[in-house]
Amino acid sequence: MNSTLKMGMIGGGPGSMIGDIHRITATAAGKAELVCGAFSSTKEKSLEKGKSLGLDENRIYGSFAEMIDKEAKLAESERMDFVAIVTPNHLHVEAAKLALEAGFHVICDKPLAFDYAEATAFQKVVEKSNSHFAMTYTYRGYPLLEKAKKIIDSGHLGDIRKVKVDYSQGWLAQLIEAEGHKQASWRTNPEKSGKGGTIADIGTHAFNLLESVSGLEVKSLMADVSILVEGRKIDDDTNILLEMSNGAKGYLSCSQICTGEDQDLSLHIYGSKAGLVWNHNTPNLLTIKYPDFREESIKGLDHEIRESREVNIPGHSPYFTEAFQRIYEGFFDTIQNNESQKDFVKATIDDGVRGMLFIEKAIQSSQARKWLNL
Amino acid sequence: MNSTLKMGMIGGGPGSMIGDIHRITATAAGKAELVCGAFSSTKEKSLEKGKSLGLDENRIYGSFAEMIDKEAKLAESERMDFVAIVTPNHLHVEAAKLALEAGFHVICDKPLAFDYAEATAFQKVVEKSNSHFAMTYTYRGYPLLEKAKKIIDSGHLGDIRKVKVDYSQGWLAQLIEAEGHKQASWRTNPEKSGKGGTIADIGTHAFNLLESVSGLEVKSLMADVSILVEGRKIDDDTNILLEMSNGAKGYLSCSQICTGEDQDLSLHIYGSKAGLVWNHNTPNLLTIKYPDFREESIKGLDHEIRESREVNIPGHSPYFTEAFQRIYEGFFDTIQNNESQKDFVKATIDDGVRGMLFIEKAIQSSQARKWLNL
Amino acid sequence: MNSTLKMGMIGGGPGSMIGDIHRITATAAGKAELVCGAFSSTKEKSLEKGKSLGLDENRIYGSFAEMIDKEAKLAESERMDFVAIVTPNHLHVEAAKLALEAGFHVICDKPLAFDYAEATAFQKVVEKSNSHFAMTYTYRGYPLLEKAKKIIDSGHLGDIRKVKVDYSQGWLAQLIEAEGHKQASWRTNPEKSGKGGTIADIGTHAFNLLESVSGLEVKSLMADVSILVEGRKIDDDTNILLEMSNGAKGYLSCSQICTGEDQDLSLHIYGSKAGLVWNHNTPNLLTIKYPDFREESIKGLDHEIRESREVNIPGHSPYFTEAFQRIYEGFFDTIQNNESQKDFVKATIDDGVRGMLFIEKAIQSSQARKWLNL
Amino acid sequence: MNSTLKMGMIGGGPGSMIGDIHRITATAAGKAELVCGAFSSTKEKSLEKGKSLGLDENRIYGSFAEMIDKEAKLAESERMDFVAIVTPNHLHVEAAKLALEAGFHVICDKPLAFDYAEATAFQKVVEKSNSHFAMTYTYRGYPLLEKAKKIIDSGHLGDIRKVKVDYSQGWLAQLIEAEGHKQASWRTNPEKSGKGGTIADIGTHAFNLLESVSGLEVKSLMADVSILVEGRKIDDDTNILLEMSNGAKGYLSCSQICTGEDQDLSLHIYGSKAGLVWNHNTPNLLTIKYPDFREESIKGLDHEIRESREVNIPGHSPYFTEAFQRIYEGFFDTIQNNESQKDFVKATIDDGVRGMLFIEKAIQSSQARKWLNL
C-alpha cells in the first residue's frame, strides 16, 4: 500500500523552529501531505501559519482538542492519518493521549512528557492503543550512527569499557529569556519545560544516543545539575558520572552555556579491541581507532544503508534534515505495514519513558549528592 | 502576492539524482507545488515517476514538447508557472527555449548547454523573453559563500593576489560507464554531455564559484584536460593555470578520478591583507587568515543572512539541500516581484554562457598547449 | 652570567622514555651539558647508558646517593650544578632531598612524590633550602597554553562558568604489565607509582593544566577512580565532577584504556563572554569562540612569546620537545639570575604538592562515593 | 664503531634559523658533537656565535676556507669529521667542494647550488670524492612520509593517475626585505638565492617530496613563475602543471605570499585503487582513502619505523626537529658503516642536482609559456 498519508500537526506556529522541520521532512518524499493543523494555542496565530502553508481554512484549528475531535468526524478518506506533536513539553502527553484515543497515529518530539509520572501513565495508554506511537530522537536518524550501532553489535570493539558523551551549546550563555526570546522563554520555564531545562532539551538526546548506540544501559549515575547563569529558573549545565550495565564507566555532559558552541555533540565509546568516535561537527565521519594507532573512517553517505532504502535520501549531506526524513520513513513503514519490528531509527515510547526517568534521577542525584541507580 | 507557484519538471525520472533535490527544495517552504512533469523520454518511465509523486495522470507527459504545448493550453489558474530542467546537458537549451517561448519561467541545471555556440544563441532568446530564466549553481546558495563574497567586496582581504579552487571527486575512478551506471553513462557520453565531461560537470562549478566569490574574472588560462581512465571517451581530470583580470595568479583543478574523495571542493583566496579559505568538507566554516597567524572563523548558521529572509531555512546544516532551497527562494522572488536585482544566489544566463566559454577555451588551450584569453 | 651549566641525571637508564627528552632539551641550546649520571639502580646499566652518551666512566655512578656524595666533593668548577630526576615516582623525593641538602639545584619530573604526606614533608625541605627546585609539568611549556593563560588573565572570557579537561590515552588497554612492558610495569605497580596509577601519571597533568591556565582552583570534587582492565593493580580510568573556587562547574577525565588514543588531551574553558579551546592533537592552534559563532584562532608559532626570549626555539613545532626546552630555559634563568619570579612555564614545589593532594582526595572521594573539598 | 663524530659548521651565525636546528638535531643523540665553525663571513660575528656555544676560540674561524684548511692540519683524532653547510645558497657548492677535497664528509642544506650549471659541475666532484655527501631535504625525515613511500611502493594505491603538491606560506606577503628582514633579504636577493626565490626555497621541497614519495619522476612541466608583490626582485609564487613519467597528471604550487599561511604543505596522490593524503598541519596523520569512502589513517608515532632504529626518537611529535634528527642519523650511519645503501631519509647529490634542474626548467617554461621536458 503506497498511498499518501495525511498529516496533522499540533504546534509549530509562527516562530517555532522544529515544526517546519517535521513538516518538510515528513512530506519531502511524497509519502505524506499536510492536511490540517492546530499550530498555536491562539486561533489567530494558528490561522496565520496554516494559511501560509496553503491549508484550507476549515482544517486549521484553534486547539488540538478541537482538531482531534473534528478530524475524527471526517470521512476516513479525508481525515488525517497521523499527527505530529511539536508543542512545548508540557502539552505532549495530553495531545498524544487524545489523538491515540481518537484512533490517530502519533509521532511526538522529545522529551516525552512533563515528568516521569506523566510518562509512565501515558505508557499504558500507548500499550493499549491500536494506533502507532513514535518519537523523534533526531540522532537516531543519522546513517553513520546507525552504522555505529551495527559495528558495536557485531562485537568489533570488544568489551566496552569507557563511554563519553558531551553535548554542548552556547545559546543560553546569556539570560535571553529575560529579553523575550521565544525559544528560550518556554525552555527555561519550569511550567512548560518540566523539571529539567537543558537536561531535558539536550541531555535526553545525549542519554538516548549513548544507550542506543552502545547497546548498554546506564546502571547508576552521580549527577551535578546546575544553574550557572544568574537569574535562570532551571538547569543550564549538567555533568554526570556514569556506570553502565556491563561495568563500563564514563561521563555524560550537557550544557547550553558554553559560549560560542553551536552544536558540539560528541560520542566516544572504547572497547577492549577498538574505540569509536563520532562528532556532530563532522556528522558524516565515523572513526574506528585501533591499538596500533591505525584509524578507519567511514565518510560521506553511507551507501550500504541508503541502498537498502526504497526512497533515496537526496543530497550530499545525511545530516539533520535527512535524519528527520529517515525517521519519518520508518514511522510510515510502521503505519503502512503494521510492522512491529523495532529498528534503530524508530524511537518508541520506551525511549521516551526512559528519557524521563533519566531526567528525574539525575536531578535527584544532584540534590542528594549521591550515586543513584536508574 | 504570496500564492503558491505551480511547478513543472523536465527530467528527473527513475534513477535521477538531482531531480528529487530540485522538487523537494522547491516545494519545501510551501511556496511551490509540483503540478506536472515530463520526467523521462519514455512515457512509461515518466508515468512511473509521476504517479509515485501523486500527480494526476493527465499531467504526466511523455515528452517536454508535449508538456509545454498542453500546459500552455490550460487555464492560467491551472497551468504550471515555471519549469525546472534537470535533463542531461544536451537537452537543456531545446527544452528551455520551448518553455520560454510558450511564456513559462525556467530554472535550469548547469552547465547551460551542449556547447558555447548553442549557449550564445540561446542567450538572445532569454534576453528577448518576458519570462524569467535562472540557473542552479548550487554553491551560490551556500550562506557562507555569500558571506565570503561580501567580505571580499568590502575590501577586507586587500588586493587579491592568489586564487586556488580544487574540486575533486572519485566516483569515476573506474570505468563504471562500461557497467551501465546510469549517472556515469550520460555524463561520460560526448553526445549527451557535450564537449566537456568532468570539466562541464564540476569544473563549471569551480569556475563559477571562483569568479562569483572573488569578484574577479579569469583573464587567461593554460589548461591540461585529460582522460586518465583507459577506455573513457571524455575528460575526467583537468588542471588549469589561471591569470585573473587584476593580475592575480592561481590554479583551478577538477577531477572525478581521485579515488576515495566524495566531494572535496575547496576555495582559497589570498589578498595583501588577509586570506580566505572555505572547504566543502566543513561547509559551515569560513576562515579568514591574517599575517600574524591569527585566524577568524565564522561557523554554524549565518544568522545575519538567515534573519534577513522571510522564510527560515530549517535545520542545523545550511548545506546542499538548503542551498538549493535558497536558490529557489531567489527564483520565486524574481517571478513574484518581477525583481531584476541580481544577487549572489541567483545565477543568470550570463553565468551559464560564461561557463560554456570556460569549457570551450580550456579544451582549446589544452589541445593547443597554449595560454588563451577568455 | 652565561657559562654552561653542568647537569647530572638520576634515572633515565636503558628503556627510559622521558630521560632522553630531559637530557636533549636541557642541552639543546648550549646552556647546559651533561657531566654525570646515576642512570639506573644497577651499576652495569648505568655504565651502559652513560658510556653511550660519551661520559667519563668516573662520572657514571651506581646510585644517586653515591653520585650526590661524590659530586659534592669535586671542585666547584667541575662538579654538577643541578640534577634532573627522572626515576619512577617512589624515588623522586629521596633523591631530591639528598641533592638539595648537598647544595645542588633540582628539577624533578611529576608527580612529585609517592604520596601526599611525603610531599608536604619535602615541601619544608625545599622552603629551607638555598638551592632551586623546579618541576617539569610539560604542558606549562607550550607557548599557546601560556598565551591561553594570558588571555584568561586579561578577562577576555568574562566570568568563567564551565571547565572541561580530558586526557585520554590507550596504551594500557591491554594488561601489558603482565608481559613485562617496562614503562607499564612500574607505572602500574603501587609500590613504585604510589597510590595513583593513571591519575598520577596523566591525571596530575590534566589537573595542573586546568588550574594553571584557568587561574581557578578546584574547590571540591566527586571522583570515580576505576580499574577497568582485569588483573590490573592500580587505577587506569578516572572521571571527576568539579566545582571550582569561583563556582564554575565541570569535569576532569583521564584514562589510559581508551583504545586507539595516543595523546588525546583537550581543554575547554567557557566564560560569560567567550569560550577557549585547546587540543593536543593540534597543539599549535588555540581557539577563542564568541557568542555569534565567530571564532578566533591563534595558529603556528607564538611569535610574541618567542621574540621575548633570548634563545629562539628552533623548529616549526612548538610542541613537546620545545615545551621541555622552554621549561629548562626557565629553570636556568632562575639558577643564573637567582630570580624568584614565578611565571607560567616554571612549575614549583607548590604545583607538586597540590598534585599529590589531588591524587589523594580523588581516591578518597571515589572510595567514599562523596564530594570532598580540596 | 660507535665513537662520537666531530662536527664543523659553515654558516648559522646570529639571526640564522636553520643553523641551530642542524646543530641541535645532529648532536641530540650523543652521536656527534660540535667542535668548530665558520658561522659568519665576518670574524666578529663568527666569534660571537661560537663562544655562545662554548667552542674553543681557536676553533672558531672567520671563513670556511680558513676552517677547512686549518682543520685538515689537525691530528685525525682532533679535527672535524664532517661539516654541515647552512649558508645562503650561493656559497653551498664552493664550501662543499673545498670540504670534500680536503677529505671531510659534507651535509648540505637545499637547494644544492646557485644554478644548474654549478650543480652538475659539483656532481662530478662528489662522484670522484671518497667522502660522503648528503643533503637535508627535511620532509624525507618525516616517519609518515617514509611510510607513505613504502605504501606506494607496495602497489597499494594501484596505478598512480593524479598527483598534487601545494606548499604555501605567507611570510613574504609584504615587501619585508625592504625593511631589512634578515631571512627575507638574502632569500629574495638573486645574487645570493640564485635564479629562483620561492621556487628554490620551498618549491624544491615540494618537488622532492612529490618525486621521492610517489616514486615517479616529473616528465614535463608547464610553469607560471610570478612576482606578485610589487618591488620584489625574485619570484614569490609559482603554479605548475605536471605530467609524470607514467602518464599521471597533476600540479605543483608553491607560494610565500599566501597571507596568513604558516606552513601549509600538502600532498595528494591518487591511484586506481586508493588515494593517499598527507598535510603538514597534521604531520602525524597519514590517510589512505578507498573507493567506498572508507578511510584508513595512521596516526601518532610510527612505531614500526621507530622500533627498527637503534636510537629512539624522543617525544610525542615526529615532526620537524625529529625529521632532522633522523636525517642526521642516516648520515652518520653512512659515514660510520661506509654504507652505500640509499634509503628514503638520505637525500643525495642526485636529489640536489635534480632540484636545480627543476628550478631552471620551471623558469624557462614560464618565460617561454611552453611545456618543457625535464
Side-chain angles (χ1 to χ4, degrees), chain A residues 25 59 74 83 90 108 113 123 131 155 160 206 210 212 221 223 241 243-244 300 302 306 320 340 342 354-355:
Chain A
T25 56
R59 302 290 286 276
L74 295 177
V83 66
H90 67 304
C108 182
Q123 188 171 26
S131 299
I160 293 175
L210 174 60
S212 60
L221 55 74
L241 304 180
E243 181 172 4
M244 308 303 288
D302 193 335
R306 297 187 67 175
F320 193 74
S340 66
K342 184 183 170 179
R354 195 155 170 84

Side-chain angles (χ1 to χ4, degrees), chain B residues 159-165 210 216-221 240-252 268-271 371, chain D residues 223-229 236-240 253-255 257-258 366-367 369:
Chain B
D159 296 329
I160 294 176
R161 290 168 175 162
K162 177 79 183 266
V163 298
K164 310 194 282 193
V165 59
L210 173 60
L216 300 174
E217 293 202 331
V218 171
K219 183 177 153 195
S220 57
L221 56 72
I240 306 181
L241 304 179
L242 300 174
E243 181 174 1
M244 307 303 287
S245 44
N246 73 338
K249 295 295 185 77
Y251 62 79
L252 181 157
H268 294 74
I269 299 178
Y270 296 99
W371 282 87
Chain D
D224 187 23
V225 181
S226 305
I227 299 174
L228 295 181
V229 171
D236 50 19
D237 184 90
T238 288
N239 303 291
I240 306 180
S253 181
C254 61
S255 181
I257 58 93
C258 288
S366 181
Q367 286 167 344
R369 295 172 76 83

Side-chain angles (χ1 to χ4, degrees), chain A residues 289 293-299 303, chain D residues 289 293-299 303:
Chain A
K289 301 184 168 201
F293 302 122
R294 264 188 324 108
E295 295 186 359
E296 277 177 15
S297 298
I298 302 161
K299 199 175 177 178
H303 298 276
Chain D
K289 301 185 167 199
F293 303 122
R294 264 188 324 108
E295 295 185 359
E296 277 177 15
S297 298
I298 301 162
K299 200 174 176 179
H303 298 276

Side-chain angles (χ1 to χ4, degrees), chain C residues 117-295:
Chain C
E118 192 189 45
T120 51
F122 177 63
Q123 189 171 26
K124 287 171 196 152
V125 176
V126 172
E127 283 161 3
K128 269 185 263 172
S129 173
N130 290 319
S131 298
H132 293 288
F133 178 81
M135 299 199 64
T136 51
Y137 273 101
T138 323
Y139 303 103
R140 301 279 283 271
Y142 279 56
L144 284 182
L145 290 171
E146 186 170 358
K147 182 76 179 176
K149 163 76 170 154
K150 284 185 188 167
I151 288 170
I152 289 174
D153 283 354
S154 76
H156 194 71
L157 305 192
D159 296 329
I160 294 176
R161 291 169 175 161
K162 177 78 183 266
V163 298
K164 309 193 283 194
V165 60
D166 188 319
Y167 196 158
S168 296
Q169 300 180 332
W171 67 290
L172 291 180
Q174 306 304 323
L175 197 72
I176 55 175
E177 60 267 43
E179 295 152 23
H181 186 288
K182 186 182 154 80
Q183 291 293 325
S185 295
W186 78 258
R187 285 175 207 267
T188 61
N189 179 351
E191 288 172 26
K192 297 195 171 172
S193 185
K195 288 182 190 167
T198 293
I199 195 172
D201 193 20
I202 62 173
T204 50
H205 274 304
F207 175 79
N208 190 272
L209 178 60
L210 174 60
E211 287 203 337
S212 60
V213 171
S214 73
L216 301 174
E217 293 203 331
V218 171
K219 182 179 153 193
S220 58
L221 55 73
M222 168 72 221
D224 187 24
V225 181
S226 304
I227 299 174
L228 295 181
V229 170
E230 215 184 311
R232 184 154 290 151
K233 294 184 199 150
I234 206 163
D235 63 278
D236 50 18
D237 184 90
T238 287
N239 303 293
I240 306 181
L241 303 180
L242 301 173
E243 181 174 3
M244 308 303 287
S245 43
N246 73 338
K249 295 295 185 78
Y251 63 79
L252 180 156
S253 181
C254 61
S255 181
Q256 293 178 313
I257 58 91
C258 288
T259 307
E261 299 297 355
D262 183 14
Q263 188 69 10
D264 189 19
L265 169 60
S266 63
L267 177 69
H268 294 75
I269 298 178
Y270 296 99
S272 52
K273 294 183 187 168
L276 178 150
V277 177
W278 179 83
N279 191 304
H280 192 271
N281 288 323
T282 48
N284 60 341
L285 184 70
L286 177 68
T287 303
I288 313 292
K289 302 184 167 199
Y290 294 98
D292 58 358
F293 302 124
R294 265 186 324 108
E295 295 185 1

Side-chain angles (χ1 to χ4, degrees), chain B residues 335-356:
Chain B
I335 293 176
Q336 292 183 319
N337 307 316
N338 209 24
E339 190 196 321
S340 65
Q341 183 192 346
K342 185 182 171 180
D343 80 5
F344 189 75
V345 299
K346 298 181 213 162
T348 67
I349 180 69
D350 297 342
D351 292 289
V353 170
R354 194 155 169 84
M356 297 311 298

